[in-house]
Amino acid sequence: EVANDNINIQSDMGKCQACNHLFRVSEHFDMPAFAFDLNQPPKGAWYKNNMQEIRLGATLRSPIAFFLVPFMLIWSGGSLGGIYGTQIAKQQFSLLQSLFGIPFLIGTIIFGSLTLMMLFGKIELTINQQGGRVFTGVGRIGKSKSFQWHEVTRIRENYVANSSNKQQAQIVIEANQPITFGLGLAPERHHYLFHALKRIQSQYKPERR
Protein backbone atom coordinates (compact mmCIF):
# COMPACT_ATOMS: atom_id res chain seq x y z
CA GLU A 1 0.00 0.00 0.00
CA VAL A 2 1.12 3.53 -0.80
CA ALA A 3 0.18 6.48 1.38
CA ASN A 4 -1.84 9.28 -0.27
CA ASP A 5 0.92 11.75 0.62
CA ASN A 6 3.30 9.74 -1.61
CA ILE A 7 1.08 10.02 -4.71
CA ASN A 8 1.08 13.03 -7.02
CA ILE A 9 -1.66 12.67 -9.63
CA GLN A 10 -0.64 15.84 -11.52
CA SER A 11 2.89 14.57 -12.16
CA ASP A 12 1.65 10.94 -12.46
CA MET A 13 4.29 9.83 -9.96
CA GLY A 14 4.14 7.77 -6.81
CA LYS A 15 6.69 6.59 -4.25
CA CYS A 16 6.69 3.41 -2.16
CA GLN A 17 7.58 4.34 1.41
CA ALA A 18 8.84 0.80 2.09
CA CYS A 19 11.52 0.62 -0.63
CA ASN A 20 11.59 4.22 -2.02
CA HIS A 21 10.75 2.91 -5.53
CA LEU A 22 9.36 5.60 -7.87
CA PHE A 23 6.63 4.58 -10.31
CA ARG A 24 4.06 6.08 -12.67
CA VAL A 25 0.60 5.87 -11.09
CA SER A 26 -1.24 5.51 -14.44
CA GLU A 27 0.63 2.30 -15.26
CA HIS A 28 -1.07 0.56 -12.31
CA PHE A 29 -4.66 1.52 -13.11
CA ASP A 30 -5.19 -1.47 -15.42
CA MET A 31 -3.85 -4.25 -13.21
CA PRO A 32 -6.09 -7.35 -13.10
CA ALA A 33 -8.33 -7.63 -10.07
CA PHE A 34 -7.44 -11.31 -9.64
CA ALA A 35 -4.50 -13.65 -10.19
CA PHE A 36 -3.29 -13.69 -13.79
CA ASP A 37 -1.24 -16.56 -15.24
CA LEU A 38 0.65 -15.67 -18.41
CA ASN A 39 1.22 -19.35 -19.17
CA GLN A 40 -2.49 -20.23 -19.07
CA PRO A 41 -4.08 -18.58 -22.13
CA PRO A 42 -7.81 -19.18 -22.66
CA LYS A 43 -9.14 -21.24 -25.54
CA GLY A 44 -8.43 -19.45 -28.81
CA ALA A 45 -5.36 -17.59 -27.47
CA TRP A 46 -1.68 -18.54 -27.35
CA TYR A 47 1.63 -17.59 -25.76
CA LYS A 48 4.94 -18.92 -27.11
CA ASN A 49 8.32 -17.86 -25.75
CA ASN A 50 11.53 -19.23 -27.29
CA MET A 51 13.70 -16.93 -25.11
CA GLN A 52 14.59 -14.79 -28.15
CA GLU A 53 11.08 -13.85 -29.23
CA ILE A 54 7.56 -13.99 -27.84
CA ARG A 55 4.49 -14.75 -29.94
CA LEU A 56 1.29 -13.65 -28.26
CA GLY A 57 -2.04 -13.85 -30.02
CA ALA A 58 -5.69 -14.80 -30.25
CA THR A 59 -8.14 -15.83 -32.92
CA LEU A 60 -10.97 -13.53 -33.98
CA ARG A 61 -13.20 -16.55 -34.56
CA SER A 62 -16.76 -15.81 -33.45
CA PRO A 63 -20.11 -17.65 -33.43
CA ILE A 64 -21.52 -14.70 -35.40
CA ALA A 65 -19.79 -16.19 -38.44
CA PHE A 66 -22.41 -18.97 -38.51
CA PHE A 67 -25.02 -16.29 -39.24
CA LEU A 68 -22.83 -14.28 -41.61
CA VAL A 69 -22.01 -17.22 -43.90
CA PRO A 70 -25.64 -17.95 -44.97
CA PHE A 71 -26.29 -14.19 -45.10
CA MET A 72 -23.34 -13.79 -47.45
CA LEU A 73 -24.56 -16.63 -49.68
CA ILE A 74 -28.01 -15.08 -49.93
CA TRP A 75 -26.65 -11.54 -50.38
CA SER A 76 -24.04 -12.32 -53.01
CA GLY A 77 -25.98 -15.11 -54.68
CA GLY A 78 -29.22 -13.19 -54.90
CA SER A 79 -28.00 -9.68 -55.65
CA LEU A 80 -24.86 -10.30 -57.70
CA GLY A 81 -26.25 -13.40 -59.35
CA GLY A 82 -29.39 -11.54 -60.37
CA ILE A 83 -27.58 -8.41 -61.54
CA TYR A 84 -24.43 -9.78 -63.17
CA GLY A 85 -25.28 -13.48 -63.54
CA THR A 86 -28.22 -12.79 -65.83
CA GLN A 87 -26.00 -10.63 -68.07
CA ILE A 88 -23.41 -13.39 -68.31
CA ALA A 89 -26.06 -16.03 -69.00
CA LYS A 90 -27.67 -13.92 -71.75
CA GLN A 91 -24.26 -12.67 -72.94
CA GLN A 92 -25.71 -9.16 -72.96
CA PHE A 93 -24.05 -6.22 -71.19
CA SER A 94 -26.24 -3.60 -69.52
CA LEU A 95 -24.42 -0.48 -68.31
CA LEU A 96 -27.34 0.73 -66.19
CA GLN A 97 -27.80 -2.66 -64.54
CA SER A 98 -24.05 -2.98 -63.92
CA LEU A 99 -23.87 0.46 -62.30
CA PHE A 100 -26.89 -0.41 -60.15
CA GLY A 101 -25.03 -3.48 -58.90
CA ILE A 102 -21.91 -1.60 -57.69
CA PRO A 103 -23.25 -0.94 -54.14
CA PHE A 104 -24.13 -4.63 -53.83
CA LEU A 105 -20.64 -5.54 -55.03
CA ILE A 106 -19.05 -3.23 -52.45
CA GLY A 107 -21.32 -4.66 -49.74
CA THR A 108 -20.29 -8.19 -50.73
CA ILE A 109 -16.60 -7.27 -50.39
CA ILE A 110 -17.14 -5.64 -46.98
CA PHE A 111 -19.31 -8.42 -45.54
CA GLY A 112 -17.07 -11.04 -47.15
CA SER A 113 -13.99 -9.59 -45.48
CA LEU A 114 -15.81 -9.43 -42.13
CA THR A 115 -16.93 -13.04 -42.50
CA LEU A 116 -13.40 -14.21 -43.31
CA MET A 117 -12.02 -12.38 -40.26
CA MET A 118 -14.63 -14.01 -38.00
CA LEU A 119 -13.85 -17.43 -39.46
CA PHE A 120 -10.06 -17.35 -39.88
CA GLY A 121 -8.84 -13.97 -38.57
CA LYS A 122 -6.27 -13.52 -35.83
CA ILE A 123 -4.33 -10.91 -33.88
CA GLU A 124 -0.71 -11.80 -33.17
CA LEU A 125 2.06 -9.84 -31.51
CA THR A 126 5.70 -10.70 -32.16
CA ILE A 127 7.77 -9.23 -29.33
CA ASN A 128 11.44 -9.01 -28.39
CA GLN A 129 13.54 -6.85 -26.09
CA GLN A 130 13.62 -3.94 -28.56
CA GLY A 131 9.94 -3.79 -29.39
CA GLY A 132 7.32 -5.65 -31.32
CA ARG A 133 4.88 -5.92 -34.19
CA VAL A 134 1.08 -6.18 -34.07
CA PHE A 135 -0.51 -8.14 -36.92
CA THR A 136 -4.24 -8.34 -37.69
CA GLY A 137 -5.43 -10.45 -40.60
CA VAL A 138 -6.03 -13.85 -42.14
CA GLY A 139 -3.01 -16.12 -42.63
CA ARG A 140 -0.24 -13.87 -43.93
CA ILE A 141 -2.64 -11.31 -45.41
CA GLY A 142 -3.41 -8.33 -43.21
CA LYS A 143 -1.91 -5.21 -41.69
CA SER A 144 0.89 -4.87 -39.18
CA LYS A 145 2.27 -2.01 -37.10
CA SER A 146 5.53 -1.91 -35.15
CA PHE A 147 6.56 -0.26 -31.90
CA GLN A 148 9.75 0.22 -29.87
CA TRP A 149 9.65 -0.25 -26.12
CA HIS A 150 11.51 2.99 -25.42
CA GLU A 151 8.72 4.89 -27.23
CA VAL A 152 5.85 3.23 -25.33
CA THR A 153 4.40 5.44 -22.59
CA ARG A 154 1.42 3.30 -21.62
CA ILE A 155 -0.69 0.29 -22.60
CA ARG A 156 -4.37 0.86 -21.87
CA GLU A 157 -7.90 -0.15 -22.80
CA ASN A 158 -10.25 2.00 -24.85
CA TYR A 159 -14.00 1.48 -25.31
CA VAL A 160 -16.00 2.36 -28.42
CA ALA A 161 -19.71 1.98 -29.14
CA ASN A 162 -20.72 -0.36 -31.97
CA SER A 163 -23.80 -0.06 -34.22
CA SER A 164 -25.94 -1.54 -31.43
CA ASN A 165 -24.58 1.08 -28.99
CA LYS A 166 -22.77 -1.62 -27.01
CA GLN A 167 -19.31 -0.87 -25.67
CA GLN A 168 -16.47 -2.85 -27.28
CA ALA A 169 -12.96 -2.90 -25.86
CA GLN A 170 -9.76 -2.14 -27.76
CA ILE A 171 -6.13 -2.28 -26.69
CA VAL A 172 -4.07 0.86 -27.18
CA ILE A 173 -0.27 0.98 -27.19
CA GLU A 174 0.54 4.63 -26.60
CA ALA A 175 3.76 5.53 -28.42
CA ASN A 176 5.01 8.08 -30.96
CA GLN A 177 2.51 6.49 -33.34
CA PRO A 178 -0.25 4.89 -31.20
CA ILE A 179 -1.38 1.38 -32.14
CA THR A 180 -5.01 0.38 -31.57
CA PHE A 181 -6.13 -3.22 -32.01
CA GLY A 182 -8.30 -5.99 -30.60
CA LEU A 183 -11.75 -4.87 -31.72
CA GLY A 184 -13.92 -7.96 -32.10
CA LEU A 185 -12.00 -10.19 -29.70
CA ALA A 186 -14.01 -12.35 -27.32
CA PRO A 187 -13.88 -10.84 -23.78
CA GLU A 188 -11.70 -13.60 -22.27
CA ARG A 189 -9.20 -13.37 -25.17
CA HIS A 190 -9.14 -9.58 -24.95
CA HIS A 191 -8.55 -9.76 -21.19
CA TYR A 192 -5.71 -12.24 -21.66
CA LEU A 193 -3.96 -10.28 -24.45
CA PHE A 194 -4.22 -7.01 -22.57
CA HIS A 195 -2.81 -8.23 -19.26
CA ALA A 196 -0.23 -10.48 -20.96
CA LEU A 197 1.06 -7.48 -22.90
CA LYS A 198 1.18 -5.42 -19.70
CA ARG A 199 3.14 -8.21 -18.01
CA ILE A 200 5.60 -8.44 -20.93
CA GLN A 201 5.97 -4.66 -20.91
CA SER A 202 7.04 -4.74 -17.26
CA GLN A 203 9.74 -7.29 -18.18
CA TYR A 204 11.07 -5.64 -21.33
CA LYS A 205 10.48 -1.92 -21.07
CA PRO A 206 13.53 0.02 -19.81
CA GLU A 207 13.18 1.70 -16.41
CA ARG A 208 12.50 5.44 -16.59
CA ARG A 209 15.22 7.62 -15.14
Coordinates of all heavy atoms in Angstrom, one line a residue, residues 23-74:
F23 N 7.4 5.2 -9.2 CA 6.6 4.6 -10.3 C 5.6 5.6 -10.9 O 5.3 6.5 -10.2 CB 5.9 3.3 -9.8 CG 4.9 3.6 -8.7 CD1 3.6 3.8 -9.0 CD2 5.3 3.6 -7.4 CE1 2.7 4.0 -8.0 CE2 4.4 3.8 -6.4 CZ 3.1 4.0 -6.7
R24 N 5.1 5.3 -12.1 CA 4.1 6.1 -12.7 C 2.7 5.5 -12.2 O 2.4 4.3 -12.5 CB 4.2 6.1 -14.2 CG 5.4 6.9 -14.7 CD 5.2 7.3 -16.2 NE 6.3 8.1 -16.6 CZ 6.3 9.4 -16.5 NH1 5.3 10.1 -16.1 NH2 7.4 10.1 -16.9
V25 N 1.9 6.3 -11.7 CA 0.6 5.9 -11.1 C -0.3 5.3 -12.2 O -0.9 4.3 -12.0 CB -0.1 7.0 -10.4 CG1 -1.5 6.6 -9.8 CG2 0.8 7.6 -9.3
S26 N -0.3 5.9 -13.4 CA -1.2 5.5 -14.4 C -1.0 4.1 -14.9 O -1.9 3.4 -15.4 CB -1.1 6.5 -15.6 OG 0.2 6.5 -16.2
E27 N 0.3 3.6 -14.8 CA 0.6 2.3 -15.3 C 0.0 1.2 -14.4 O 0.0 0.0 -14.8 CB 2.2 2.1 -15.3 CG 2.8 3.0 -16.4 CD 4.3 2.7 -16.6 OE1 4.8 2.1 -15.7 OE2 4.8 3.2 -17.6
H28 N -0.5 1.6 -13.2 CA -1.1 0.6 -12.3 C -2.6 0.6 -12.3 O -3.2 -0.1 -11.5 CB -0.5 0.8 -10.9 CG 1.0 0.5 -10.9 ND1 1.5 -0.7 -10.5 CD2 2.0 1.3 -11.1 CE1 2.9 -0.7 -10.6 NE2 3.2 0.6 -10.9
F29 N -3.2 1.5 -13.1 CA -4.7 1.5 -13.1 C -5.3 0.3 -13.7 O -6.4 -0.1 -13.4 CB -5.1 2.7 -13.9 CG -4.9 4.0 -13.2 CD1 -4.9 5.2 -13.9 CD2 -4.8 4.1 -11.8 CE1 -4.8 6.4 -13.2 CE2 -4.6 5.3 -11.1 CZ -4.6 6.4 -11.8
D30 N -4.6 -0.4 -14.7 CA -5.2 -1.5 -15.4 C -4.8 -2.8 -14.9 O -4.8 -3.8 -15.7 CB -4.8 -1.3 -16.9 CG -5.3 0.0 -17.5 OD1 -6.5 0.3 -17.3 OD2 -4.5 0.7 -18.1
M31 N -4.3 -3.0 -13.7 CA -3.9 -4.2 -13.2 C -5.1 -5.2 -13.0 O -6.1 -4.7 -12.6 CB -3.1 -4.1 -11.9 CG -1.8 -3.3 -12.0 SD -0.6 -4.0 -13.1 CE -0.1 -5.4 -12.1
P32 N -4.9 -6.5 -13.3 CA -6.1 -7.4 -13.1 C -6.5 -7.4 -11.6 O -5.7 -7.4 -10.7 CB -5.6 -8.7 -13.6 CG -4.1 -8.6 -13.5 CD -3.7 -7.2 -13.8
A33 N -7.8 -7.6 -11.4 CA -8.3 -7.6 -10.1 C -8.1 -9.0 -9.4 O -8.5 -9.2 -8.3 CB -9.8 -7.2 -10.1
F34 N -7.7 -10.0 -10.2 CA -7.4 -11.3 -9.6 C -6.2 -11.9 -10.2 O -5.5 -11.3 -11.1 CB -8.6 -12.2 -10.0 CG -9.1 -12.2 -11.4 CD1 -8.5 -13.0 -12.3 CD2 -10.0 -11.3 -11.8 CE1 -8.8 -12.9 -13.7 CE2 -10.4 -11.2 -13.2 CZ -9.8 -12.1 -14.1
A35 N -5.8 -13.0 -9.7 CA -4.5 -13.7 -10.2 C -4.5 -13.9 -11.7 O -5.5 -14.4 -12.3 CB -4.3 -15.0 -9.5
F36 N -3.4 -13.5 -12.3 CA -3.3 -13.7 -13.8 C -2.1 -14.6 -14.1 O -1.0 -14.3 -13.6 CB -3.1 -12.3 -14.4 CG -2.8 -12.4 -15.9 CD1 -3.8 -12.7 -16.8 CD2 -1.5 -12.2 -16.4 CE1 -3.6 -12.8 -18.2 CE2 -1.3 -12.3 -17.7 CZ -2.3 -12.6 -18.6
D37 N -2.3 -15.6 -14.9 CA -1.2 -16.6 -15.2 C -0.9 -16.4 -16.7 O -1.7 -16.8 -17.6 CB -1.7 -18.0 -14.9 CG -0.5 -19.0 -15.0 OD1 0.5 -18.6 -15.6 OD2 -0.6 -20.1 -14.5
L38 N 0.2 -15.9 -17.0 CA 0.7 -15.7 -18.4 C 0.7 -17.0 -19.2 O 0.5 -17.0 -20.4 CB 2.0 -15.0 -18.4 CG 2.6 -14.6 -19.8 CD1 1.8 -13.6 -20.5 CD2 4.0 -14.1 -19.6
N39 N 1.0 -18.1 -18.5 CA 1.2 -19.4 -19.2 C -0.1 -20.2 -19.3 O 0.0 -21.3 -19.7 CB 2.3 -20.2 -18.4 CG 3.6 -19.6 -18.4 OD1 4.2 -19.3 -19.5 ND2 4.2 -19.2 -17.3
Q40 N -1.2 -19.5 -19.0 CA -2.5 -20.2 -19.1 C -3.4 -19.4 -19.9 O -4.4 -18.9 -19.5 CB -3.1 -20.5 -17.7 CG -2.3 -21.4 -16.8 CD -2.4 -22.8 -17.3 OE1 -3.4 -23.3 -17.9 NE2 -1.3 -23.6 -17.2
P41 N -3.2 -19.3 -21.3 CA -4.1 -18.6 -22.1 C -5.4 -19.3 -22.3 O -5.5 -20.5 -22.2 CB -3.3 -18.6 -23.5 CG -2.4 -19.7 -23.4 CD -2.0 -19.9 -22.0
P42 N -6.5 -18.6 -22.5 CA -7.8 -19.2 -22.7 C -7.9 -19.8 -24.0 O -7.0 -19.7 -24.9 CB -8.8 -18.0 -22.6 CG -8.0 -16.8 -23.0 CD -6.6 -17.1 -22.5
K43 N -8.9 -20.6 -24.3 CA -9.1 -21.2 -25.5 C -9.2 -20.2 -26.6 O -9.9 -19.2 -26.5 CB -10.4 -22.1 -25.5 CG -10.7 -22.8 -26.8 CD -12.0 -23.7 -26.7 CE -12.2 -24.5 -28.0 NZ -13.5 -25.3 -27.9
G44 N -8.5 -20.4 -27.7 CA -8.4 -19.5 -28.8 C -7.3 -18.4 -28.7 O -7.2 -17.5 -29.6
A45 N -6.5 -18.5 -27.6 CA -5.4 -17.6 -27.5 C -4.1 -18.4 -27.3 O -4.2 -19.6 -27.0 CB -5.6 -16.7 -26.3
W46 N -2.9 -17.8 -27.5 CA -1.7 -18.5 -27.3 C -0.6 -17.6 -26.9 O -0.6 -16.4 -27.1 CB -1.3 -19.2 -28.7 CG -1.2 -18.3 -29.8 CD1 0.0 -17.6 -30.3 CD2 -2.2 -17.9 -30.8 NE1 -0.3 -16.8 -31.4 CE2 -1.6 -17.0 -31.7 CE3 -3.5 -18.3 -30.9 CZ2 -2.4 -16.5 -32.8 CZ3 -4.3 -17.7 -31.9 CH2 -3.7 -16.8 -32.8
Y47 N 0.4 -18.3 -26.3 CA 1.6 -17.6 -25.8 C 2.8 -18.5 -26.0 O 2.8 -19.7 -25.5 CB 1.5 -17.3 -24.3 CG 2.8 -16.8 -23.6 CD1 3.3 -15.5 -23.8 CD2 3.5 -17.6 -22.8 CE1 4.4 -15.1 -23.2 CE2 4.7 -17.2 -22.2 CZ 5.1 -15.9 -22.4 OH 6.3 -15.5 -21.8
K48 N 3.8 -18.1 -26.8 CA 4.9 -18.9 -27.1 C 6.2 -18.1 -26.9 O 6.3 -17.0 -27.5 CB 4.9 -19.4 -28.6 CG 3.7 -20.2 -28.9 CD 3.6 -20.6 -30.4 CE 2.3 -21.4 -30.7 NZ 2.1 -21.6 -32.1
N49 N 7.1 -18.6 -26.1 CA 8.3 -17.9 -25.7 C 9.5 -18.8 -26.0 O 9.7 -19.8 -25.3 CB 8.3 -17.4 -24.3 CG 9.5 -16.5 -23.9 OD1 10.4 -16.4 -24.7 ND2 9.4 -15.9 -22.7
N50 N 10.3 -18.4 -27.0 CA 11.5 -19.2 -27.3 C 12.8 -18.6 -26.7 O 13.9 -18.9 -27.2 CB 11.7 -19.5 -28.8 CG 11.9 -18.2 -29.6 OD1 12.1 -17.1 -29.0 ND2 11.8 -18.3 -30.9
M51 N 12.6 -17.6 -25.8 CA 13.7 -16.9 -25.1 C 14.3 -15.8 -26.0 O 14.9 -14.9 -25.4 CB 14.8 -17.9 -24.6 CG 14.3 -19.0 -23.8 SD 13.3 -18.6 -22.4 CE 14.4 -17.7 -21.4
Q52 N 14.1 -15.9 -27.3 CA 14.6 -14.8 -28.1 C 13.4 -13.9 -28.6 O 13.6 -12.7 -28.9 CB 15.3 -15.4 -29.4 CG 16.5 -16.2 -29.1 CD 17.6 -15.4 -28.5 OE1 17.8 -14.2 -28.8 NE2 18.4 -16.0 -27.5
E53 N 12.2 -14.5 -28.7 CA 11.1 -13.9 -29.2 C 9.8 -14.4 -28.6 O 9.7 -15.6 -28.3 CB 11.1 -14.1 -30.8 CG 10.0 -13.4 -31.5 CD 10.1 -13.6 -33.0 OE1 9.6 -14.7 -33.4 OE2 10.6 -12.8 -33.7
I54 N 8.8 -13.6 -28.4 CA 7.6 -14.0 -27.8 C 6.5 -13.8 -28.9 O 6.4 -12.8 -29.6 CB 7.2 -13.2 -26.6 CG1 8.1 -13.5 -25.4 CG2 5.7 -13.4 -26.2 CD1 7.9 -12.6 -24.2
R55 N 5.7 -14.8 -29.1 CA 4.5 -14.8 -29.9 C 3.2 -14.9 -29.1 O 3.0 -15.9 -28.4 CB 4.5 -15.8 -31.0 CG 5.5 -15.6 -32.1 CD 5.4 -16.6 -33.3 NE 6.3 -16.3 -34.3 CZ 6.1 -15.4 -35.3 NH1 4.9 -14.8 -35.4 NH2 6.9 -15.2 -36.3
L56 N 2.5 -13.8 -29.1 CA 1.3 -13.7 -28.3 C 0.1 -13.3 -29.2 O 0.2 -12.4 -30.0 CB 1.5 -12.5 -27.2 CG 0.3 -12.1 -26.4 CD1 0.0 -13.2 -25.4 CD2 0.6 -10.8 -25.7
G57 N -1.0 -14.1 -29.1 CA -2.0 -13.8 -30.0 C -3.3 -14.5 -29.6 O -3.5 -15.2 -28.6
A58 N -4.4 -14.2 -30.5 CA -5.7 -14.8 -30.3 C -6.4 -14.8 -31.6 O -6.2 -13.9 -32.4 CB -6.5 -14.0 -29.2
T59 N -7.3 -15.8 -31.7 CA -8.1 -15.8 -32.9 C -9.3 -14.9 -32.8 O -9.8 -14.6 -31.7 CB -8.6 -17.3 -33.2 OG1 -9.5 -17.3 -34.3 CG2 -9.4 -17.8 -32.0
L60 N -9.8 -14.4 -33.9 CA -11.0 -13.5 -34.0 C -12.2 -14.3 -34.3 O -13.3 -13.8 -34.5 CB -10.8 -12.4 -35.0 CG -9.8 -11.3 -34.7 CD1 -9.5 -10.5 -35.9 CD2 -10.3 -10.4 -33.6
R61 N -12.1 -15.7 -34.3 CA -13.2 -16.6 -34.6 C -14.4 -16.2 -33.6 O -14.2 -16.1 -32.4 CB -12.8 -18.0 -34.4 CG -13.8 -19.0 -35.0 CD -13.2 -20.4 -34.9 NE -12.0 -20.6 -35.7 CZ -10.8 -20.9 -35.1 NH1 -10.7 -21.1 -33.8 NH2 -9.7 -21.0 -35.9
S62 N -15.6 -16.2 -34.2 CA -16.8 -15.8 -33.5 C -18.0 -16.6 -33.9 O -18.1 -16.9 -35.1 CB -17.0 -14.3 -33.6 OG -18.3 -14.0 -33.1
P63 N -18.9 -16.9 -33.0 CA -20.1 -17.7 -33.4 C -21.0 -16.9 -34.4 O -21.8 -17.4 -35.1 CB -20.9 -17.8 -32.1 CG -19.8 -17.7 -31.0 CD -18.8 -16.8 -31.6
I64 N -20.8 -15.5 -34.5 CA -21.5 -14.7 -35.4 C -21.3 -15.1 -36.8 O -22.1 -15.0 -37.7 CB -21.1 -13.2 -35.2 CG1 -21.5 -12.8 -33.8 CG2 -21.9 -12.3 -36.2 CD1 -21.0 -11.4 -33.5
A65 N -20.1 -15.8 -37.1 CA -19.8 -16.2 -38.4 C -20.8 -17.2 -39.0 O -21.1 -17.3 -40.2 CB -18.4 -16.8 -38.5
F66 N -21.4 -18.0 -38.1 CA -22.4 -19.0 -38.5 C -23.7 -18.3 -39.1 O -24.4 -18.9 -39.9 CB -22.8 -19.9 -37.3 CG -21.7 -20.8 -36.9 CD1 -21.0 -20.6 -35.7 CD2 -21.3 -21.9 -37.7 CE1 -19.9 -21.4 -35.4 CE2 -20.3 -22.7 -37.3 CZ -19.6 -22.5 -36.1
F67 N -23.9 -17.0 -38.7 CA -25.0 -16.3 -39.2 C -24.6 -15.5 -40.5 O -25.4 -15.3 -41.4 CB -25.6 -15.3 -38.2 CG -26.1 -16.0 -37.0 CD1 -25.3 -16.2 -35.8 CD2 -27.4 -16.5 -37.0 CE1 -25.8 -16.8 -34.7 CE2 -27.9 -17.2 -35.8 CZ -27.1 -17.3 -34.7
L68 N -23.3 -15.1 -40.5 CA -22.8 -14.3 -41.6 C -22.7 -15.1 -42.9 O -22.9 -14.6 -44.0 CB -21.5 -13.6 -41.2 CG -21.6 -12.4 -40.3 CD1 -20.2 -11.9 -40.0 CD2 -22.4 -11.3 -41.0
V69 N -22.2 -16.4 -42.7 CA -22.0 -17.2 -43.9 C -23.3 -17.4 -44.7 O -23.3 -17.1 -45.9 CB -21.4 -18.6 -43.5 CG1 -21.4 -19.5 -44.7 CG2 -20.0 -18.4 -43.0
P70 N -24.4 -17.8 -44.1 CA -25.6 -18.0 -45.0 C -26.1 -16.6 -45.5 O -26.6 -16.5 -46.6 CB -26.7 -18.6 -44.0 CG -26.1 -18.4 -42.7 CD -24.6 -18.4 -42.8
F71 N -25.9 -15.5 -44.6 CA -26.3 -14.2 -45.1 C -25.5 -13.8 -46.3 O -26.0 -13.2 -47.3 CB -26.1 -13.2 -44.0 CG -26.3 -11.7 -44.4 CD1 -27.6 -11.2 -44.5 CD2 -25.2 -10.9 -44.7 CE1 -27.8 -9.9 -44.9 CE2 -25.4 -9.6 -45.1 CZ -26.7 -9.1 -45.2
M72 N -24.2 -14.1 -46.3 CA -23.3 -13.8 -47.5 C -23.8 -14.6 -48.7 O -23.8 -14.0 -49.8 CB -21.9 -14.1 -47.1 CG -21.1 -13.0 -46.4 SD -21.0 -11.6 -47.4 CE -20.2 -12.2 -48.9
L73 N -24.1 -15.8 -48.5 CA -24.6 -16.6 -49.7 C -25.8 -16.1 -50.3 O -26.0 -16.0 -51.5 CB -24.8 -18.1 -49.2 CG -23.5 -18.8 -48.8 CD1 -23.9 -20.2 -48.3 CD2 -22.5 -19.0 -50.0
I74 N -26.8 -15.6 -49.4 CA -28.0 -15.1 -49.9 C -27.8 -13.7 -50.6 O -28.3 -13.4 -51.7 CB -29.0 -15.0 -48.8 CG1 -29.4 -16.3 -48.3 CG2 -30.3 -14.2 -49.2 CD1 -30.3 -16.3 -47.0

